[in-house]
Amino acid sequence: MRKKEMIAMLLAGGQGSRLGVLTATEAKPGVPFGGKYKIIDFPMSNCINSGVDTVGVLTQYQPLKLNQHIGIGIPWDLDRRTGGVTILSPHMKSKQGAWYTGTANAIYQNVEFIEQYNPDYVLILGGDHIYKMNYAAMLDFHKANDADVTIAALQVPWDEAPRFGLMNCDETQRIYEFEEKPPNPKSNLANMGIYIFNWGILRDALERDDKVHDNSDFGMHVLPMLLAEQKRMFAFPFSGYWRDVGTIESYWEANMDLIQTIPEFNLYEEFDKIYTDADHQPPIYTGPNAMVQGALLSEGCEVLGQVSGSVLGPGVIVEEGASIIDSIIMEDCYIGKNAKLERCIVDVGCTVGDGVVIGCKNEGNIPNALRPKIYDTGITVLGENTVIPDGMRIGQNCVIHGETFPHDYPDGLLASGESILRDKGKEGGTEE
Amino acid sequence: MRAVGIILAGGGNERLGALTTYRTTSAMPVGSCYRAIDFPLSNMTNSGIKKVAVITQHNSRSLHDHLSSPKWWNLGNKQGGLFVLSPFMTNDNRGWFRGTADAIYQNLTFLKRSNEKYVVISSGDCVYKMDFNEMIEYHERKNAEITIAYRRVEDSEDIRNYGVLELDEFERMTDLEEKPLEPQSDLASMGVYVMERKLLIELLEIVAGEGRHNLVRDIITRYRKQKRIFGYKFDGYWRNLGQIQSYFDCNMDFLKRDIRALLTIDQPYISTKPKDEPPAKFNSKAVVSNALVGSGAIIDGNVYRSVIFRKVHAGNDTHIRNAIIMESTKIGEGATIEYAIIDKEVEVAAGAHIIGTPENPLIVAKGSKLQ
């Protein structure tokens, strides 16, 4: 097979359990973002915009919709004769059948895939951050430093630094120490989970670490091991927009960032665009009585009512008299007449009946009774394909998943912090 | 599939004025994110046709750009695929296509190297949604040699702009007159034909030998008594984009719920070349009512009953009414636009007034800078 200088391995198998019901039927990289996109579109687009045309996508948790989204890579121009995009699922091997047990383990199980391209460098990416980055510039930096490993580094505010994995560097950006969530940080350079390895170094490290750890992980095992061996490891400074959208609140905030009049994260540039599956992209229609202000509307939206401070995915219908405030409504949802939605996230394919009110305010903040750490910022979340009958009233920090009926709502009301989960096996959000 | 497709997209057009200075009618942008040819081309692939020729000639650059990759119409295959056929010089022919029949005749290899029984021919500049399988079934049921799709024109249209059919009580065509001064019926040809591939090859070779070059005049009309030519009635939506008024009306038709659903939402989908624009952005002072908006547009002002294409920027306090604003045009703060068709990449200065009338929408040429 033709040699590739650098190939990318994109880790897209994580559940993202703090996103609760949003990842009940979808891996975190497959969660919609910014209306028409999915989270994985950002690293995938960065790859092709950086000239990386060979991408292995490692999937594990709920891969079906993600696989379908990626397809043969047409939206990203990754449909190639050699290289392009390849989905790498866990698979049976002669000795054992193996799930991916850690980030480095997942790469180790696909060494043969990488070897086919005989690359000099391997780029390791996560599938759960929102950012634009030129990996080619990072490779130039890697070469200029004659590095063995380069780690992309973000300067975070000092008061937030204790929440991150930090890197302490000398004046040449060479890393001499890792610190995982230290209470008194010495630096504010956070590890972004984006690595370039010399392939020989990585392959050797993966083989050795596999003998020691059966859940081999880059951050916990492989990188500290290489540092201890005095390998040349450098921090590549990154200064653009970068968001972890791992929680309901951070996911909601990052979506809201996009509707600022001049957003910090600009999707409207002529070059280095973000690409997504573009099977059918009809125009947007706003009706004679519509009022849409401070909002993003994706292809095929039909808005007859009011939308403000919100992000709508493709094909959303908002009927007459309905109002959507400070909310995220994903693809193909139907919002009935005179419904009023405030501060909520509505997953793909939901039907909200006529006159439904979501986000009824009450005194104080009542976290969700089932998952108080996931739903605690006043945002109510409807899982995929949820149906809310006409006229129901729903409070804050509620979570609803599945088809619901009037008898599920005592006196027509689901009080703040309550949940209706039709399918207990699919409630998501197991980590607390 | 039992047919190959041919789309006639080469014609010049002077009636669209500045709008066709840089493009052929088949490449006219329509409905906020489409071009005219998306409709016949999608109809072909949605009908299962796997091999389509698009014949181009006049002002073909933007059409070729639009068709640069066949994969958006599912035609990027080894078997069949999309053939964009433009005029070329040979040792004995230094000319352009001299007519619709000549255009196909000069590309006869396309037909000879096919194996499908039928050919479906469509014009490239009409907005409609049609299943050609039904038309082929009708063609077989009537034991026809040539079938022409037709529709009854509405009172608002001038039938003298169309080819006018006369049919007998069995729907057999007795006459076809192009743009007649005295129309004998209200049945207009849609420029969509079905016939057997071998018959078309045979007729093209005959008329070429006689120095005739026109598909309608020299084949359909001339052979109306020798061949069994039938009309196929079509009741659905259809608009030709060849005139300012019909172009304007067609865009405004997209604002009607049933037509918009048919053309943009319902399956089978009309495909177009994706442009990877982000969602449309409605800023905090935007008022957009009864309007179609393309992706990547940023709206700060007021828009009423208008069709806004991709990447348009309408600044603060703009007032846009009854207008068509094409891709990447920028409307400066406080500008007023009424009854106008603003082509692509126009810059309208702050405070400008561009005002046409319902009968005569004002046309602004591509790339203009207006004070």
Side-chain angles (χ1 to χ4, degrees):
Chain A
M1 191 135 13
R2 274 173 233 204
K3 178 181 170 65
K4 299 281 181 182
E5 185 187 27
M6 180 164 80
I7 74 169
M9 297 293 275
L10 203 166
L11 296 158
Q15 179 184 358
S17 50
R18 288 171 302 156
L19 284 173
V21 77
L22 298 179
T23 52
T25 57
E26 177 86 88
K28 181 175 166 189
V31 170
F33 180 83
K36 65 186 285 192
Y37 305 104
K38 291 180 187 280
I39 296 172
I40 198 173
D41 293 334
F42 293 85
M44 292 271 287
S45 302
N46 288 339
C47 279
I48 198 68
N49 290 337
S50 307
V52 178
D53 67 1
T54 305
V55 182
V57 178
L58 295 96
T59 60
Q60 175 152 291
Y61 176 81
Q62 293 280 12
L64 291 182
K65 276 181 280 185
L66 198 54
N67 292 353
Q68 191 174 27
H69 178 69
I70 293 167
I72 59 167
I74 286 178
W76 304 272
D77 278 346
L78 285 170
D79 48 329
R80 300 279 165 141
R81 290 193 66 176
T82 23
V85 66
T86 307
I87 303 274
L88 302 166
S89 324
H91 50 280
M92 299 290 289
K93 298 167 190 75
S94 52
K95 285 192 205 145
Q96 63 200 47
W99 293 106
Y100 298 146
T101 56
T103 51
N105 174 272
I107 305 297
Y108 179 64
Q109 293 198 41
N110 289 288
V111 163
E112 284 173 28
F113 169 79
I114 300 172
E115 287 283 17
Q116 290 180 89
Y117 296 101
N118 187 24
D120 299 325
Y121 309 100
V122 174
L123 170 67
I124 308 288
L125 301 170
D128 40 15
H129 294 108
I130 304 300
Y131 67 110
K132 280 189 186 181
M133 182 168 170
N134 187 341
Y135 305 134
M138 183 169 166
L139 180 60
D140 290 343
F141 176 90
H142 180 83
K143 289 176 184 170
N145 285 309
D146 194 21
D148 296 315
V149 185
T150 298
I151 302 175
L154 182 76
Q155 283 200 0
V156 295
W158 280 96
D159 58 326
E160 290 178 26
R163 291 175 29 224
F164 289 89
L166 301 175
M167 298 177 287
N168 299 326
C169 303
D170 67 16
E171 64 281 2
T172 66
Q173 297 293 324
R174 184 164 176 178
I175 302 164
Y176 62 86
E177 187 181 22
F178 292 114
E179 283 192 296
E180 189 61 26
K181 299 182 183 164
N184 299 305
K186 284 178 260 177
S187 102
N188 66 341
L189 276 185
N191 178 344
M192 296 167 68
I194 299 167
Y195 315 120
I196 291 177
F197 285 91
N198 289 349
W199 172 227
I201 301 267
L202 176 61
R203 185 183 50 209
D204 176 62
L206 292 173
E207 278 166 9
R208 287 187 289 132
D209 195 61
D210 183 62
K211 296 194 176 75
V212 187
H213 301 107
D214 57 11
N215 60 341
S216 183
D217 181 274
F218 280 108
M220 280 193 295
H221 310 131
V222 174
L223 295 174
M225 177 177 84
L226 291 172
L227 190 70
E229 294 168 359
Q230 308 284 318
K231 292 286 190 292
R232 292 179 62 79
M233 302 174 77
F234 285 81
F236 173 68
F238 174 79
S239 57
Y241 183 92
W242 184 82
R243 287 291 184 280
D244 177 17
V245 287
T247 64
I248 294 288
E249 176 71 6
S250 65
Y251 174 81
W252 186 85
E253 289 282 350
N255 274 278
M256 294 304 143
D257 283 349
L258 299 173
I259 59 180
Q260 303 305 316
T261 300
I262 298 173
E264 187 186 343
F265 188 52
N266 186 2
L267 293 169
Y268 294 80
E269 291 166 330
E270 203 55 42
F271 297 98
D272 294 344
K273 289 180 181 175
I274 304 301
Y275 312 100
T276 190
D277 184 17
D279 174 39
H280 180 226
Q281 303 195 324
I284 297 151
Y285 177 74
T286 58
N289 303 317
M291 181 62 85
V292 182
Q293 295 183 323
L296 290 190
L297 266 54
S298 306
E299 284 95 348
C301 280
E302 296 253 334
V303 176
L304 305 179
Q306 294 186 26
V307 178
S308 68
S310 298
V311 175
L312 271 53
V316 171
I317 296 172
V318 179
E319 288 283 10
E320 293 275 355
S323 74
I324 301 195
I325 301 162
D326 300 339
S327 294
I328 299 164
I329 315 290
M330 298 187 200
E331 188 164 358
D332 292 338
C333 287
Y334 174 87
I335 311 298
K337 288 192 178 75
N338 302 315
K340 188 173 191 317
L341 279 61
E342 190 166 350
R343 246 177 108 75
C344 60
I345 301 175
V346 182
D347 204 338
V348 175
C350 291
T351 302
V352 175
D354 293 351
V356 167
V357 181
I358 303 182
C360 300
K361 289 218 172 62
N362 35 324
E363 303 220 353
N365 182 35
I366 303 167
N368 187 269
L370 284 179
R371 305 261 177 248
K373 289 185 180 163
I374 292 180
Y375 311 103
D376 62 346
T377 56
I379 297 167
T380 281
V381 184
L382 308 188
E384 187 185 26
N385 296 327
T386 293
V387 179
I388 312 282
D390 292 352
M392 297 300 117
R393 295 169 62 234
I394 297 162
Q396 299 177 318
N397 292 322
C398 294
V399 54
I400 305 175
H401 191 196
E403 184 174 4
T404 64
F405 301 93
H407 61 75
D408 295 319
Y409 301 80
D411 301 323
L413 173 73
L414 189 71
S416 289
E418 296 300 311
S419 307
I420 306 174
L421 296 168
R422 269 293 141 238
D423 186 346
K424 287 285 180 195
K426 287 188 181 172
E427 64 199 55
T430 49
E431 177 197 314
E432 283 185 15
Chain B
M1 177 59 187
R2 296 177 298 158
V4 296
I6 295 176
I7 297 176
L8 299 170
N13 185 334
E14 278 152 29
R15 289 173 301 173
L16 283 172
L19 298 174
T20 45
T21 307
Y22 299 107
R23 61 174 77 87
T24 179
T25 322
S26 299
M28 282 297 287
V30 63
S32 163
C33 63
Y34 303 98
R35 287 183 188 264
I37 194 154
D38 292 333
F39 294 87
L41 190 53
S42 299
N43 287 339
M44 298 245 170
T45 55
N46 290 339
S47 301
I49 295 177
K50 301 273 191 286
K51 184 175 176 185
V52 179
V54 176
I55 297 185
T56 69
Q57 168 158 288
H58 191 92
N59 240 341
S60 53
R61 188 212 60 84
S62 75
L63 187 60
H64 287 188
D65 179 342
H66 188 66
L67 300 176
S68 61
S69 171
K71 57 186 161 185
W72 317 121
W73 297 273
N74 272 328
L75 287 169
N77 305 312
K78 287 191 289 182
Q79 308 282 330
L82 180 67
F83 295 73
V84 179
L85 305 174
S86 298
F88 49 88
M89 283 198 277
T90 65
N91 286 341
D92 19 287
N93 184 352
R94 323 210 118 250
W96 299 97
F97 300 146
R98 285 160 290 187
T100 43
D102 186 47
I104 305 174
Y105 175 74
Q106 289 197 40
N107 292 290
L108 213 52
T109 316
F110 170 81
L111 288 176
K112 286 185 167 172
R113 284 199 188 150
S114 299
N115 191 35
E116 287 79 356
K117 185 171 183 189
Y118 295 107
V119 184
V120 177
I121 301 174
S122 172
S123 57
D125 57 357
C126 299
V127 172
Y128 69 113
K129 200 167 182 179
M130 185 169 177
D131 180 354
F132 296 129
N133 291 304
E134 289 176 17
M135 187 167 167
I136 292 172
E137 278 163 30
Y138 175 89
H139 177 87
E140 290 179 334
R141 209 159 56 236
K142 285 287 186 184
N143 199 19
E145 292 176 288
I146 299 173
T147 299
I148 305 178
Y150 73 89
R151 53 187 274 282
R152 213 170 273 283
V153 298
E154 292 157 26
D155 295 338
S156 59
E157 298 173 85
D158 188 347
I159 193 163
R160 288 172 300 180
N161 292 319
Y162 302 122
V164 177
L165 290 178
E166 286 172 58
L167 304 177
D168 70 11
E169 69 266 41
F170 306 105
E171 298 277 292
R172 182 165 175 177
M173 192 190 87
T174 54
D175 205 358
L176 169 60
E177 205 180 348
E178 273 289 357
K179 301 182 178 68
L181 288 174
E182 291 176 26
Q184 302 297 306
S185 84
D186 61 349
L187 309 179
S189 164
M190 293 164 58
V192 176
Y193 313 97
V194 167
M195 67 184 94
E196 282 193 24
R197 183 177 56 87
K198 286 182 177 160
L199 175 66
L200 178 59
I201 293 171
E202 180 192 322
L203 292 172
L204 287 171
E205 284 177 334
I206 293 170
V207 299
E210 297 166 347
R212 300 176 197 270
H213 307 301
N214 187 293
L215 183 69
V216 174
R217 189 182 59 227
D218 299 326
I219 292 185
I220 311 278
T221 307
R222 192 149 185 272
Y223 281 85
R224 67 191 181 279
K225 296 202 170 108
Q226 275 196 15
K227 300 290 177 194
R228 289 172 55 81
I229 304 179
F230 282 82
Y232 170 72
K233 187 171 184 208
F234 180 73
D235 289 326
Y237 181 82
W238 182 91
R239 284 267 191 202
N240 177 280
L241 299 183
Q243 293 170 84
I244 299 285
Q245 197 60 50
S246 67
Y247 175 75
F248 188 87
D249 292 347
C250 180
N251 276 284
M252 293 302 163
D253 284 342
F254 278 79
L255 300 176
K256 297 171 188 162
R257 190 166 202 164
D258 52 337
I259 294 173
R260 183 172 64 256
L262 173 81
L263 296 176
T264 75
I265 297 169
D266 295 349
Q267 298 209 28
Y269 299 144
I270 302 299
S271 301
T272 188
K273 177 181 175 180
K275 292 277 181 85
D276 299 300
E277 296 306 330
K281 191 156 182 282
F282 295 68
N283 281 333
S284 56
K285 289 178 186 162
V287 178
V288 183
S289 96
N290 194 20
L292 210 61
V293 180
S295 52
I298 301 177
I299 313 288
D300 285 288
N302 305 280
V303 180
Y304 309 93
R305 191 176 178 262
S306 293
V307 174
I308 309 293
F309 283 69
R310 289 158 162 160
K311 285 200 288 184
V312 166
H313 179 233
N316 285 323
D317 298 317
T318 48
H319 287 268
I320 300 170
R321 285 174 201 273
N322 296 303
I324 297 167
I325 317 279
M326 291 191 210
E327 195 173 311
S328 299
T329 281
K330 296 192 174 12
I331 315 285
E333 279 188 23
T336 302
I337 296 174
E338 284 180 30
Y339 288 107
I341 302 173
I342 317 273
D343 207 322
K344 289 168 74 165
E345 294 156 20
V346 170
E347 287 177 27
V348 177
H353 280 64
I354 299 172
I355 298 182
T357 64
E359 298 75 32
N360 263 318
L362 210 107
I363 311 283
V364 177
K366 183 176 174 180
S368 308
K369 293 188 174 23
L370 296 184
Q371 290 306 308

